[in-house]
Amino acid sequence: MAVHVASPRIWSRDLQKAWSTWGSRLCSQSSSSTQPSHHPRTQAEKAKRRQAREKAILSSDVNDPGLLWSDKEKITYTAALVPGEKKDTTLPFPQSYSPEYVEFGWYQWWEKQGFFRSCDAHAVDKYFSFCIPPPNVTGTLHLGHALTVAIEDALARWRRMQGCKVLWVPGCDHAGIATQSVVERKLMREQGKCRRDYSREEFLKQVWRWKDEKGDEIYHQLRKLGASLDWNRACFTMDPGFSSAVTEAFVRLCDSGLIYRSEALVNWSCALEWTQRSCLAGLFCLFPVISRNSLCFSRCCLTFFVIFFSEGEVAVSTTRPETMLGDVAIAVHPDDPRYKDLHGKHCRHPFTECLLPIITDSMVDVTFGTGAVKVTPAHDHTDFLLSQRHSLPRLTVIGGDGTMTSDCGQWLEGVKRFDARERVITALMERKLFRGKKEHPMSLPICSRSGDVTEPLLKKQWFVRCQEMGRKAVQAVDEGDLQIIPHFYTKMWKSWLSNISDWCISRQLWWGHQIPAYRVTLENSKDTEEQWVWGRSAAEARQRAAVKFGVNPDAITLTQDPDVLDTWFSSGLFPFAMLGWPQQTEDLKQFYPNSILETGSDLIFFWVARMVMLGRELTGQLPFKQVLFHSLVRDKYGRKMSKSLGNVIDPLDVISGRLQEKVREGNLDPRESVVAMEAQKKDFPKGIPECGTDALRFALCSYKAQGEDISLSVSHVLSCRHFCNKMWQTVRFTLATLHDTYPLSGMDRWICWRLYSTVQQCERGFQSYELHTVTSALHSFWLHSLCDVYLVKKQVAVSVLYHCVSISLALLSPIMPFLTEELWQRLLPYADSDGTSRSLCVQPYPKTSQLEHWCFPKEEADFSLVQEVVRVARLLRAQCQLTKERPDCERTSIVNKKKNISISFVIKCENY
């Protein structure tokens, strides 16, 4: 289960790798490591920060009025329309912009026309392929996903308009842990049954039934967001074809020696209802020390603050007394002067009377407790590392259900682990070995699904050897075969992959790809050691076993490993499995390697590094040539999106204008639910206004996605909706003036130059994947050049105005597909078209090379004075609170010293 990292009692450079940031973020069984930038925050610190946050949210002194807005008139498309048919754009032009009216019907028409299918594209020599990061089938998309879709769809549409054969593949991840957890809670809530009440086959039927009911919700959201995906190639990681690819990958990696089986700890969720504690007692007890040849049981009083050493005694610190029955050694630092005389000696276990060696290791933190710690390899990740270095045995004393095992003796057998803690402390007191306790802040490993404290348990696992594959992934970047954008992620990439540990791919679940490995049992064999084979099917595995052991296949009994593969293993195959691998399909030949991978920066090691390693190993090629990372989306206060904060927003709520109270549908505790609901009420006292897909996409693309995290506010999306209305009114004005003609003037040439410059900025922005420069250039041109200046003229050149509007719409199409399509279709009857134009989304994207005749740099230089005049006029009009009535020039004859122009002249110039 995914966990928050525990703060271990032994902390050194080696363990910083084991208990690093990635230890807290990777799935519990993952043994990957990296160097942390700081010590993990303790539970006490987290609790303090959470309480302060809740107080701020619940405080009545908060002056932020939240998002306030006025209702707009609802305008809907009322004409009869068969889904997939084209809208009638000859209907009267509505007076104002309405997202519901504009977006109605277009996506179904695009999809039916096949505009998104790569097989229908006319280009044959230019390809652009990539996949969407497959979201978990369990949930719904949030604004972070919406950012991914906005960026990726803009790139896909831009390349499609450039004439490329674009393949953008949709998909969903089966999300083993998350899905199984959701279904188990559903069954318990509705039927009062747990997973163990079903057979594996029966439970999997329940999961598939749930997936069939809920699985299409994400695809519905993607369509609402306007994602131009090739839906004929939609891919689910549990589909038969994809499952075959997963099996093939496992078998090939096993055959090449890159997958092996070994014993390791997993963070096991016992699913017990125990609440997290911010502080656990650090206990101190006495272990009688004996030399190699003599035994001594003398005792002296030891406390936490002053520790006395005498021959025959050592004080030991622990935060987990319940695991004492699994202790196999005592560890001290070799340079700790307090224990110099104890090196190489043994001590007697307080309960079992077994002899425990006193080992020395530099991993021990001399400042922790007494500086002497007990070693329990079967229930502590740090101690497991120590057992590997010192060849120590591993005793399991806690079972999978969270109760003590029979190895603990009758007095503890079957007792729940935290009840056992109290019994052990009582027993130490009775034996007069207990020396007190002190609160010790630490981080608890919490299961992110069940909420219980996870238990490190020893289990046999399958691992992938990653060192050599990691070295090749670093080499690919060094040699320029793989480009990482932004470049500053390259250092992180190299650092992590250069020190990567082997990857545990076993998961103790039922939902997922069952590992295609089989335990072999031979007739009349007395060998108790495990023997394993693997195969693409049970029949193939049987033949492999027969060859390996030299026996008749009928004399072999096979038992498939009940575990499933890590979800990230199957996701790591996505760039080529989605194209039909291992079969050499036409899609694989045309579109692999992919052109680019675009994803959030938080997946750099979860997903991206593993795709690179597996892709190169299994296909001989890198899965993509470029990796583009975008930042994470936070709320307007800079807080991480969290259900407990009430700031997780469904993109459809922003698009359609509502705020569903999904908090009450979640699994929050009552206090978190109150805080979340209160936060929603303060941030959105009237709910969320209807902003529309185009405004949301434009807002998301307007942030610098390659820099710091994005603090998104709905008010910014609302301002982009106002920009949409500005575009709507501009086209209404344009359609009303297309019947008039006037000769070209200096201002006409100036607006042509501004459009040329805008096209140039859009080209550069898309090529560098900096979409915020594209949105900024288009917003500035449309608002500040076209509307604020050029349309102020009483006479405009029809051809110039038409081309400014139509080219701007084409420039905006990849980012705002619905609005631009609606407006472009209304302008289409006035175009010099041969009748073959069908949709703006497949029209050529404007190029500066086609508009060089519109380059008028002299007009741009001369017009700067006019722009300054208009700017000053509006500034003074606002300051003097002037109305549209003609002012008294005598009374308002104020001089602008900078340009030596009186305000009366300025106002007349603007009116002109």
Side-chain angles (χ1 to χ4, degrees):
M1 299 299 182
V3 301
H4 301 295
V5 69
S7 178
R9 50 190 172 75
I10 304 176
W11 197 264
S12 64
R13 172 171 289 184
D14 291 337
L15 283 187
Q16 284 178 343
K17 292 182 178 180
W19 286 98
S20 61
T21 303
W22 293 108
S24 68
R25 298 174 68 182
L26 295 175
C27 292
S28 63
Q29 291 96 332
S30 175
S31 58
S32 302
S33 59
T34 187
Q35 189 75 14
S37 59
H38 56 80
H39 196 286
R41 184 179 293 125
T42 66
Q43 287 297 112
E45 293 171 333
K46 290 180 179 178
K48 186 176 180 180
R49 289 166 60 90
R50 183 176 62 252
Q51 291 170 2
R53 186 173 61 224
E54 291 179 355
K55 182 178 180 181
I57 293 174
L58 297 173
S59 172
S60 59
D61 296 332
V62 176
N63 295 320
D64 185 0
L67 180 64
L68 300 177
W69 48 279
S70 57
D71 291 316
K72 303 294 183 181
E73 179 187 359
K74 280 278 187 179
I75 303 175
T76 59
Y77 186 87
T78 57
L81 182 67
V82 178
E85 297 299 320
K86 187 177 180 181
K87 286 173 67 175
D88 184 1
T89 54
T90 63
L91 295 175
F93 209 118
Q95 293 293 314
S96 62
Y97 166 71
S98 169
E100 185 177 352
Y101 178 94
V102 168
E103 295 168 18
F104 181 80
W106 285 121
Y107 194 93
Q108 292 82 354
W109 179 66
W110 291 330
E111 194 173 347
K112 184 178 180 180
Q113 293 297 311
F115 295 144
F116 306 154
R117 295 200 295 266
S118 60
C119 57
D120 290 350
H122 299 295
V124 293
D125 57 341
K126 295 190 297 182
Y127 299 92
F128 187 77
S129 61
F130 64 119
C131 63
I132 192 170
N136 289 351
V137 71
T138 54
T140 58
L141 302 184
H142 51 66
L143 288 178
H145 294 109
L147 174 64
T148 301
V149 173
I151 294 174
E152 293 185 6
D153 191 48
L155 296 178
R157 289 176 179 271
W158 170 59
R159 288 296 189 185
R160 194 176 289 116
M161 294 176 74
Q162 283 193 318
C164 293
K165 193 172 184 179
V166 174
L167 175 63
W168 186 24
V169 179
C172 264
D173 190 274
H174 66 277
I177 295 173
T179 302
Q180 181 162 317
S181 177
V182 167
V183 175
E184 285 195 46
R185 288 198 301 267
K186 178 177 181 291
L187 293 175
M188 179 59 67
R189 183 175 61 252
E190 296 179 355
Q191 302 179 22
K193 294 182 179 180
C194 66
R195 171 168 53 102
R196 297 296 178 182
D197 294 327
Y198 299 86
S199 67
R200 183 168 187 151
E201 292 72 20
E202 291 172 340
F203 179 77
L204 291 179
K205 287 182 180 179
Q206 294 287 340
V207 180
W208 276 108
R209 184 178 297 116
W210 179 90
K211 186 267 177 185
D212 293 338
E213 293 173 357
K214 304 294 184 180
D216 290 338
E217 186 173 348
I218 287 177
Y219 288 168
H220 169 68
Q221 287 180 297
L222 290 172
R223 285 181 166 92
K224 284 290 292 182
L225 286 167
S228 57
L229 293 151
D230 190 342
W231 292 105
N232 291 330
R233 289 178 167 84
C235 189
F236 179 52
T237 52
M238 287 291 286
D239 286 340
F242 204 103
S243 297
S244 298
V246 173
T247 300
E248 181 70 24
F250 183 89
V251 171
R252 289 192 187 185
L253 293 174
C254 284
D255 289 342
S256 62
L258 288 174
I259 289 183
Y260 66 95
R261 186 171 174 82
S262 180
E263 194 173 51
L265 286 180
V266 299
N267 287 313
W268 184 269
S269 174
C270 301
L272 298 177
E273 297 179 359
W274 291 98
T275 59
Q276 176 181 344
R277 301 180 185 176
S278 60
C279 295
L280 289 182
L283 303 177
F284 303 91
C285 57
L286 285 179
F287 280 75
V289 177
I290 62 173
S291 65
R292 293 182 184 275
N293 301 312
S294 63
L295 188 64
C296 177
F297 291 95
S298 63
R299 298 187 301 272
C300 69
C301 292
L302 296 178
T303 65
F304 179 73
F305 300 101
V306 179
I307 301 177
F308 299 93
F309 280 90
S310 61
E311 182 62 24
E313 295 179 349
V314 60
V316 178
S317 320
T318 181
T319 58
R320 298 208 64 192
E322 67 273 16
T323 63
M324 284 183 62
L325 278 299
D327 293 348
V328 297
I330 302 298
V332 297
H333 195 282
D335 299 330
D336 192 333
R338 298 172 292 180
Y339 303 110
K340 285 290 186 181
D341 297 336
L342 300 180
H343 295 183
K345 294 187 178 182
H346 289 69
C347 63
R348 184 76 65 180
H349 194 286
F351 299 117
T352 66
E353 299 295 325
C354 295
L355 296 181
L356 306 181
I358 299 178
I359 62 174
T360 60
D361 199 292
S362 58
M363 296 171 70
V364 178
D365 181 3
V366 297
T367 64
F368 177 83
T370 62
V373 294
K374 69 188 193 69
V375 181
T376 318
H379 296 285
D380 186 275
H381 292 277
T382 301
D383 294 352
F384 183 81
L385 296 178
L386 285 172
S387 72
Q388 291 179 317
R389 295 170 66 160
H390 296 275
S391 301
L392 299 173
R394 300 156 187 165
L395 303 179
T396 298
V397 295
I398 299 178
D401 60 353
T403 62
M404 309 306 289
T405 66
S406 59
D407 292 337
C408 300
Q410 293 184 354
W411 68 293
L412 284 181
E413 182 180 359
V415 178
K416 293 181 179 180
R417 51 185 170 157
F418 295 120
D419 290 339
R421 171 178 298 179
E422 302 305 324
R423 292 196 184 189
V424 170
I425 294 174
T426 301
L428 288 172
M429 291 179 176
E430 292 173 351
R431 294 169 183 246
K432 298 182 179 180
L433 298 175
F434 182 72
R435 290 295 181 270
K437 62 182 179 179
K438 180 182 178 180
E439 295 298 306
H440 172 68
M442 63 178 293
S443 294
L444 283 175
I446 301 298
C447 172
S448 63
R449 305 297 174 184
S450 64
D452 69 319
V453 179
T454 63
E455 183 63 45
L457 292 184
L458 202 59
K459 289 183 176 291
K460 289 291 186 73
Q461 307 287 297
W462 294 95
F463 290 86
V464 178
R465 303 182 196 275
C466 294
Q467 285 77 15
E468 181 61 21
M469 291 193 293
R471 185 191 65 80
K472 291 179 181 179
V474 171
Q475 183 182 15
V477 174
D478 288 338
E479 295 179 355
D481 297 328
L482 179 65
Q483 183 185 7
I484 296 179
I485 307 170
H487 183 71
F488 60 76
Y489 285 111
T490 302
K491 183 178 180 180
M492 186 189 302
W493 177 272
K494 293 180 180 179
S495 174
W496 190 76
L497 287 172
S498 297
N499 299 282
I500 190 172
S501 298
D502 289 350
W503 171 20
C504 178
I505 55 174
S506 298
R507 295 292 180 269
Q508 289 69 45
L509 301 169
W510 284 357
W511 172 248
H513 299 101
Q514 190 170 354
I515 296 176
Y518 303 80
R519 186 172 180 176
V520 180
T521 304
L522 303 177
E523 285 185 356
N524 303 321
S525 175
K526 297 181 180 179
D527 189 2
T528 58
E529 185 177 348
E530 289 187 355
Q531 301 288 349
W532 290 84
V533 293
W534 45 84
R536 295 166 182 84
S537 64
E540 180 182 329
R542 186 177 298 278
Q543 290 298 323
R544 285 174 176 250
V547 173
K548 181 178 180 179
F549 299 106
V551 297
N552 189 299
D554 296 334
I556 296 173
T557 301
L558 297 180
T559 305
Q560 187 173 359
D561 191 332
D563 291 353
V564 300
L565 289 167
D566 179 11
T567 300
W568 295 108
F569 184 86
S570 53
S571 296
L573 311 177
F574 211 88
F576 47 95
M578 69 179 188
L579 300 174
W581 183 90
Q583 306 300 321
Q584 292 301 310
T585 63
E586 287 300 316
D587 279 353
L588 192 65
K589 295 175 184 177
Q590 283 188 14
F591 298 110
Y592 188 81
N594 298 170
S595 305
I596 193 173
L597 174 78
E598 197 284 330
T599 188
S601 57
D602 56 331
L603 296 181
I604 184 170
F605 304 127
F606 277 114
W607 190 43
V608 181
R610 288 164 175 173
M611 281 190 288
V612 171
M613 292 191 296
L614 292 175
R616 190 159 194 166
E617 185 64 34
L618 294 171
T619 69
Q621 296 176 286
L622 291 171
F624 27 74
K625 303 165 189 175
Q626 293 179 314
V627 181
L628 174 63
F629 290 117
H630 65 250
S631 304
L632 303 183
V633 177
R634 298 180 179 272
D635 68 7
K636 64 180 181 179
Y637 305 112
R639 302 175 303 181
K640 184 178 179 181
M641 297 290 187
S642 169
K643 291 181 180 178
S644 62
L645 291 177
N647 60 355
V648 175
I649 300 175
D650 187 332
L652 300 192
D653 291 344
V654 181
I655 291 171
S656 303
R658 62 182 186 275
L659 183 59
Q660 300 173 352
E661 293 183 354
K662 297 175 181 176
V663 172
R664 293 173 179 169
E665 302 172 9
N667 297 305
L668 302 179
D669 63 47
R671 175 164 181 80
E672 287 181 327
S673 180
V674 170
V675 173
M677 294 302 298
E678 188 66 24
Q680 284 190 353
K681 291 178 182 177
K682 289 191 174 182
D683 284 343
F684 310 108
K686 294 180 59 180
I688 295 179
E690 180 191 25
C691 295
T693 299
D694 293 304
L696 176 60
R697 288 169 56 121
F698 192 86
L700 290 168
C701 290
S702 67
Y703 290 96
K704 187 176 182 180
Q706 298 180 27
E708 298 179 354
D709 289 351
I710 296 171
S711 295
L712 178 68
S713 66
V714 177
S715 60
H716 178 56
V717 183
L718 186 59
S719 69
C720 293
R721 185 201 188 283
H722 297 156
F723 174 61
C724 292
N725 186 62
K726 196 76 170 181
M727 293 172 57
W728 186 266
Q729 300 303 336
T730 301
V731 174
R732 287 187 70 236
F733 175 83
T734 301
L735 291 173
T737 60
L738 285 178
H739 302 287
D740 303 322
T741 58
Y742 298 96
L744 293 179
S745 66
M747 188 173 287
D748 296 322
R749 289 191 294 273
W750 171 80
I751 196 64
C752 290
W753 161 253
R754 290 293 302 124
L755 180 61
Y756 173 83
S757 177
T758 302
V759 174
Q760 195 174 52
Q761 292 177 70
C762 291
E763 281 184 341
R764 293 171 181 170
F766 270 115
Q767 289 168 0
S768 62
Y769 305 122
E770 294 183 342
L771 299 189
H772 67 283
T773 63
V774 177
T775 57
S776 176
L778 288 167
H779 185 272
S780 177
F781 171 77
W782 198 292
L783 212 60
H784 303 306
S785 297
L786 185 61
C787 295
D788 288 358
V789 178
Y790 184 68
L791 293 185
V792 172
K793 283 183 57 179
K794 292 185 177 179
Q795 295 178 338
V796 296
V798 174
S799 59
V800 172
L801 178 59
Y802 178 85
H803 281 89
C804 284
V805 172
S806 60
I807 291 176
S808 296
L809 291 175
L811 292 171
L812 278 162
S813 178
I815 298 174
M816 308 174 78
F818 292 101
L819 178 58
T820 54
E821 183 75 60
E822 176 82 23
L823 297 178
W824 184 83
Q825 292 286 350
R826 290 183 177 273
L827 287 173
L828 190 58
Y830 300 93
D832 296 329
S833 173
D834 57 4
T836 60
S837 301
R838 294 185 296 166
S839 172
L840 177 58
C841 68
V842 291
Q843 296 304 302
Y845 198 77
K847 301 178 181 179
T848 52
S849 58
Q850 300 171 336
L851 301 175
E852 290 180 347
H853 59 288
W854 281 11
C855 183
F856 301 111
K858 184 177 183 299
E859 273 71 10
E860 169 70 9
D862 293 343
F863 205 73
S864 61
L865 174 62
V866 177
Q867 287 181 292
E868 178 68 5
V869 166
V870 174
R871 186 190 69 80
V872 173
R874 289 182 170 156
L875 175 63
L876 293 176
R877 185 174 66 180
Q879 291 177 348
C880 299
Q881 299 180 345
L882 300 180
T883 64
K884 293 182 180 180
E885 298 178 359
R886 182 176 296 275
D888 186 344
C889 296
E890 297 279 322
R891 279 192 298 111
T892 58
S893 183
I894 304 172
V895 176
N896 175 15
K897 296 181 179 179
K898 184 175 180 181
K899 294 296 181 180
N900 196 25
I901 306 171
S902 69
I903 187 175
S904 57
F905 169 76
V906 171
I907 294 173
K908 291 177 181 178
C909 178
E910 188 189 23
N911 288 339
Y912 172 76

